[in-house]
Amino acid sequence: MSILPIFLAAGAASAAAGTFAWASASPSAQLFGRTIRRTGNASTMALTFDDGPNPAVTPQLLDLLDRHKAHATFFLIGRHLRAFPALAKEIAQRGHTVGNHTETHPKLTFLSRRRIDQELDRCDAAIASATGKAPRLMRPPFGFRGPQLDGVVRHNGGAGVVMWSAMARDWKLQPAERVIERLRRARGSDIVLLHDGDHKVLQGDRRHTLAAVEYWLPRWRDAGLRMVNLDEF
């Protein structure tokens, strides 16, 4: 009996597993449904902040954005939002977009449609209660998604899944200079992944992110870039 079919089957299984892993984690992958990664306009950039609201950093960030007439998008965790609803309301009142980042920040790749639905519904309800408006957009925690996510989002009336085209790797405490240097690669039309919160704790230390954004906002403005939220395109 030839062992060639066994090798071929093993190779096919390995390739399928690799494709699934790429599609579930790569920001550029579209195999499990279309994602939003760029603004489509080289004169704009979209700053996005995950894992808030965070009273230790978000208020200072909002003031900073106001000073530079910059808009942004905040993907909020439901359980954090329930702890600080007034801060979520302030984010929306200052003209920023509020998006869904699930209720508890789980990895969605292998969750059932029902569980994903519950995560999104609870966060949607918290956002609507705090801001008076249900969100249109969501971002999967860690960027992980499975083939079931897009269908759940669109069935619930969402406009799409938002990923990113540039990232600062700022989710761990670190010197601000490292974040500043990574943001040097951000360009016009990028959707930039940043964090004003920490999914593990309610009031995470994100001073390094705040300092990096403060450094880059005037420089991006001088380069002719306009900071937009994701409702502006």
Side-chain angles (χ1 to χ4, degrees):
M1 178 179 176
S2 173
I3 63 172
L4 181 59
I6 298 175
F7 281 121
L8 290 175
S14 178
T19 299
F20 185 95
W22 168 78
S24 66
S26 172
S28 63
Q30 307 288 306
L31 185 61
F32 294 156
R34 186 182 70 85
T35 64
I36 301 167
R37 295 188 62 238
R38 294 187 179 275
T39 69
N41 184 335
S43 68
T44 65
M45 183 184 291
L47 301 182
T48 63
F49 297 92
D50 286 8
D51 297 351
N54 177 7
V57 170
T58 308
Q60 300 170 68
L61 178 59
L62 292 175
D63 289 342
L64 177 62
L65 293 168
D66 278 354
R67 287 201 301 273
H68 291 278
K69 296 181 173 56
H71 289 158
T73 298
F74 292 77
F75 288 98
L76 306 183
I77 297 174
R79 65 186 179 195
H80 290 194
L81 196 159
R82 294 173 196 279
F84 309 110
L87 185 50
K89 181 178 181 180
E90 184 178 359
I91 291 171
Q93 287 180 332
R94 295 213 196 183
H96 305 293
T97 294
V98 173
N100 187 319
H101 202 41
T102 72
E103 175 69 18
T104 64
H105 204 272
K107 296 177 180 178
L108 302 181
T109 310
F110 297 110
L111 293 190
S112 68
R113 289 177 62 96
R114 180 179 179 184
R115 174 69 192 285
I116 294 173
D117 206 23
Q118 291 171 343
E119 285 282 337
L120 298 182
D121 277 353
R122 292 193 66 195
C123 188
D124 275 354
I127 291 172
S129 176
T131 70
K133 181 181 178 181
R136 297 173 55 252
L137 302 167
M138 70 83 60
R139 171 173 282 159
F142 311 102
F144 293 166
R145 59 208 187 278
Q148 71 279 45
L149 177 61
D150 185 69
V152 174
V153 171
R154 299 192 183 279
H155 181 264
N156 290 357
V161 176
V162 178
M163 300 297 283
W164 57 87
S165 53
M167 66 191 306
R169 297 186 179 273
D170 61 333
W171 50 80
K172 291 184 178 180
L173 186 62
Q174 59 193 281
E177 290 75 17
R178 294 181 185 173
V179 183
I180 290 170
E181 185 59 31
R182 292 186 194 110
L183 288 176
R184 194 176 301 279
R185 295 188 288 272
R187 297 289 184 269
S189 85
D190 274 336
I191 294 177
V192 183
L193 171 62
L194 295 154
H195 294 77
D196 66 324
D198 183 336
H199 73 274
K200 299 182 295 297
V201 297
L202 285 176
Q203 300 193 48
D205 189 342
R206 291 290 180 259
R207 288 173 293 176
H208 53 287
T209 299
L210 185 67
V213 173
E214 185 171 19
Y215 176 89
W216 277 110
L217 276 178
R219 289 165 173 80
W220 286 328
R221 181 196 60 215
D222 292 346
L225 292 174
R226 181 169 59 92
M227 301 297 114
V228 299
N229 64 40
L230 295 181
D231 283 334
E232 294 184 53
F233 62 91

